[in-house]
Amino acid sequence: MEVTMAEPDGVLTERNVDVAALYDMLRRCKASAEEIVAKMLAIKKEAEPKSELREVVTQILLNFVTLRQVNRSILLEEDRVKAETELAKAPVELTTLQLHNLMYEKHHYVKALKACKEFTTKYPGIELIPEEEFIREAPEDIKRSILSTDRTHDLMLKRLNYELFQRKELCKLREKLEQQKKALQETIANRKKFLSSLPSQLKALKKASLPVQHQLGVPQTKKLMQHQLAELLPPPLYVIYSQLFAQKEAFGENIELDITGNVKDAQAFARQLANKDAAMSTNLVNSKLEDDVPDDNGDGQRRSKRPKKVPSKENLDHSGIYQSHPLKVILHINNDEASDMNPAKLITLKFEFLINLNIVCVGVEDSEEVPENDILCNLFPDDTGLELPQQSAKLLIGSSLSFDESRTSRPYKWVQHLAGIDCLPEVSPLVSVSEESSGETTKHASALSSLSLYRQQNRVQTVVQRIRTRKKAQLASV
């Protein structure tokens, strides 16, 4: 730093002085002055000669001069720094003033731009089509018209006229569509009103057509109801119903079919069976997944499947073994040679399905007397209806028990075949034939041929003919 210092002879010169050195010198002069003052106090206390005191006073005066010179240098340096700061502050203030001016101008321009953008023109909110599309699609009378001498303004006016033309056309189209919509709504309301009254009209028509159906012998309503009930039948009874109905429709067999029983119970049973099948399939998948999981020993081998426990026969509820399905199939066999002496209706049979035994039973309807079953007994050889046709049913009911003889419906073998339940015999027919005599063999062979004839496609016709023949013979013998 450049400072101005006074020499001992009073001449001022400029030198480069370090401010830190000035402060260091100031501290040394202060310390020296304190030592001299302490020395002066010591001289006065000890009453030494005044000559030594004068020398000490001279030294302290020199120190005071040095302190004043250093202090003056420091003050001059501060004045110089302040002057330089003032000189540097002026450009900063000028730059700051210019910045504020620019910010003010920016704010003014932004405000003007916003006012221009928000300025409401003569055509507010109109989105015109592009100019190329206007030139391509506008009518010629609009494009040829001259509305202004300014080309740009003339084009804008033409585009506005074309926009007005389009909006008028759209208003006309909207009115036309509104009229069509109103007409369609009226049509829909009339059709809804008709559809709401249609069930009652169909019900009245159905009720009115019943006498005509009975007169013409075409009970269509009853037929539809029977077909709907047939969907709730178990598969064996459904097979019997479908075969008998096909025989009647195809060959004109003189029989009548009915399905009786509790419909609600049948629907509940069908839902229960569906849920049971779904649960069984889920359990089967889970069991397969468990079988595929390796055991905890880590040897990679699959766990062996444990055999399921079979309930003992003592735990079976024999009263529930003969539980039948809620729906039954009723077969009315009419006389094919009806007359005044011979009534049309010969016999009525009732087919029912025993759920637990999985067999079909048949009996004479509205007949509690066991001799009526003589018509069905041995309809085919060795088929009394007292022996269960399936080995599984025998195991379920017990080896010591047979089919209940007090029941009018019995599980004849021909009924099982008619229902599609074909079971293998317990003993091979060849073995049984070899054990019999020659005469009995011939008789048994004829029985087997008769049974094989029944097992052909005309099994329904064979059953109906044999039952009709037996009933006619019974009526003739009375």
Side-chain angles (χ1 to χ4, degrees):
M1 269 179 207
E2 294 182 356
V3 296
T4 302
M5 298 185 65
E7 294 293 334
D9 56 359
V11 181
L12 297 176
T13 59
E14 291 184 355
R15 295 180 181 178
N16 292 329
V17 181
D18 190 1
V19 177
L22 292 176
Y23 281 103
D24 187 32
M25 185 182 294
L26 185 64
R27 285 192 294 271
R28 288 201 303 271
C29 290
K30 177 187 174 184
S32 178
E34 291 177 352
E35 290 178 357
I36 293 173
V37 170
K39 188 175 181 181
M40 290 174 63
L41 292 175
I43 291 173
K44 285 184 177 183
K45 287 181 180 180
E46 294 176 359
E48 293 183 0
K50 292 183 179 182
S51 58
E52 294 181 3
L53 186 60
R54 291 192 188 97
E55 184 180 357
V56 174
V57 170
T58 304
Q59 291 178 359
I60 196 170
L61 290 176
L62 290 175
N63 283 332
F64 283 152
V65 172
T66 304
L67 284 174
R68 189 171 182 181
Q69 185 180 5
V70 172
N71 189 26
R72 183 172 178 273
S73 300
I74 291 174
L75 292 176
L76 290 174
E77 181 65 19
E78 289 180 356
D79 291 339
R80 188 187 65 78
V81 172
K82 287 181 180 180
E84 290 180 356
T85 304
E86 290 295 332
L87 293 175
K89 187 177 180 182
V92 174
E93 291 179 352
L94 180 61
T95 306
T96 304
L97 182 60
Q98 292 177 354
L99 176 62
H100 284 295
N101 292 335
L102 290 175
M103 293 298 293
Y104 177 77
E105 291 179 2
K106 176 185 176 183
H107 178 70
H108 175 71
Y109 289 140
V110 170
K111 187 177 180 181
L113 289 173
K114 184 177 180 182
C116 291
K117 289 182 179 179
E118 294 179 353
F119 179 74
T120 55
T121 62
K122 187 178 179 181
Y123 315 106
I126 300 178
E127 296 181 0
L128 299 179
I129 62 174
E131 184 176 350
E132 296 80 6
E133 186 177 352
F134 167 75
I135 297 173
R136 185 176 62 253
E137 298 180 359
E140 291 297 330
D141 56 347
I142 296 179
K143 291 191 292 185
R144 286 198 302 266
S145 61
I146 299 176
L147 303 176
S148 177
T149 56
D150 187 2
R151 185 176 179 278
T152 305
H153 186 57
D154 182 67
L155 180 61
M156 175 61 70
L157 294 177
K158 291 179 181 179
R159 291 173 66 187
L160 289 172
N161 289 337
Y162 181 58
E163 182 71 22
L164 179 61
F165 171 76
Q166 284 184 325
R167 295 196 178 192
K168 287 181 178 180
E169 293 295 327
L170 289 176
C171 288
K172 294 179 182 179
L173 180 60
R174 181 177 178 273
E175 291 178 358
K176 184 179 178 181
L177 292 177
E178 287 289 343
Q179 293 177 359
Q180 293 180 359
K181 179 182 177 182
K182 186 176 180 181
L184 289 175
Q185 287 178 347
E186 292 178 356
T187 304
I188 292 173
N190 294 331
R191 290 184 179 180
K192 284 184 177 180
K193 185 177 179 181
F194 171 74
L195 290 176
S196 61
S197 62
L198 186 60
S200 60
Q201 295 179 6
L202 291 177
K203 187 176 181 181
L205 179 62
K206 180 180 177 182
K207 185 176 181 181
S209 65
L210 289 177
V212 181
Q213 293 181 18
H214 289 299
Q215 186 69 24
L216 297 177
V218 188
Q220 196 68 23
T221 305
K222 182 179 179 181
K223 183 178 178 181
L224 292 175
M225 293 178 62
Q226 293 296 316
H227 286 354
Q228 292 176 357
L229 289 177
E231 296 179 357
L232 299 175
L233 289 173
L237 290 184
Y238 185 84
V239 172
I240 293 176
Y241 178 81
S242 61
Q243 292 196 42
L244 293 174
F245 185 80
Q247 181 72 21
K248 176 185 176 182
E249 293 290 327
F251 300 102
E253 190 71 43
N254 195 6
I255 58 176
E256 298 294 335
L257 288 172
D258 287 328
I259 299 176
T260 60
N262 195 327
V263 181
K264 292 184 179 180
D265 292 345
Q267 292 174 349
F269 181 79
R271 287 194 296 268
Q272 181 181 1
L273 187 62
N275 296 333
K276 182 178 179 181
D277 293 340
M280 289 180 62
S281 62
T282 305
N283 293 334
L284 181 60
V285 172
N286 293 334
S287 63
K288 288 182 178 180
L289 293 175
E290 291 176 358
D291 293 340
D292 292 338
V293 175
D295 56 3
D296 297 335
N297 296 330
D299 55 357
Q301 298 179 355
R302 296 183 178 178
R303 293 177 293 183
S304 60
K305 187 183 295 183
R306 296 181 180 178
K308 297 182 179 179
K309 295 182 179 180
V310 180
S312 60
K313 297 178 182 178
E314 290 78 4
N315 296 331
L316 293 175
D317 185 8
H318 293 286
S319 61
I321 288 180
Y322 297 102
Q323 180 186 1
S324 61
H325 193 270
L327 297 181
K328 279 83 175 174
V329 176
I330 306 300
L331 172 63
H332 304 281
I333 300 178
N334 299 327
N335 190 358
D336 52 355
E337 299 174 356
S339 62
D340 296 336
M341 299 298 296
N342 297 325
K345 183 178 179 181
L346 287 178
I347 190 173
T348 301
L349 303 181
K350 179 178 69 173
F351 297 88
E352 59 180 354
F353 177 69
L354 301 185
I355 300 172
N356 295 325
L357 296 179
N358 194 25
I359 57 176
V360 180
C361 298
V362 62
V364 180
E365 179 73 3
D366 297 333
S367 177
E368 299 295 336
E369 299 179 1
V370 178
E372 287 289 340
N373 289 326
D374 293 340
I375 298 176
L376 305 178
C377 184
N378 289 322
L379 190 65
F380 292 93
D382 297 331
D383 192 5
T384 60
L386 297 177
E387 182 181 0
L388 292 173
Q390 293 187 14
Q391 186 67 19
S392 60
K394 292 181 180 180
L395 294 175
L396 184 61
I397 202 171
S399 59
S400 61
L401 299 177
S402 60
F403 192 78
D404 191 0
E405 298 182 4
S406 62
R407 296 176 61 88
T408 57
S409 298
R410 294 181 180 179
Y412 297 100
K413 295 179 182 179
W414 59 267
V415 182
Q416 316 307 317
H417 294 303
L418 192 64
I421 305 176
D422 292 328
C423 306
L424 290 174
E426 299 180 13
V427 181
S428 175
L430 297 177
V431 176
S432 60
V433 169
S434 62
E435 292 178 355
E436 295 176 354
S437 59
S438 60
E440 293 178 352
T441 303
T442 305
K443 182 178 179 181
H444 191 74
S446 62
L448 289 178
S449 63
S450 176
L451 186 59
S452 64
L453 177 64
Y454 157 73
R455 287 175 176 172
Q456 301 301 322
Q457 294 297 329
N458 58 350
R459 57 178 64 182
V460 177
Q461 184 180 2
T462 304
V463 169
V464 173
Q465 288 179 356
R466 291 199 176 190
I467 294 176
R468 184 181 286 123
T469 302
R470 283 198 174 187
K471 185 63 178 178
K472 287 181 179 180
Q474 184 184 23
L475 293 176
S477 63
V478 173

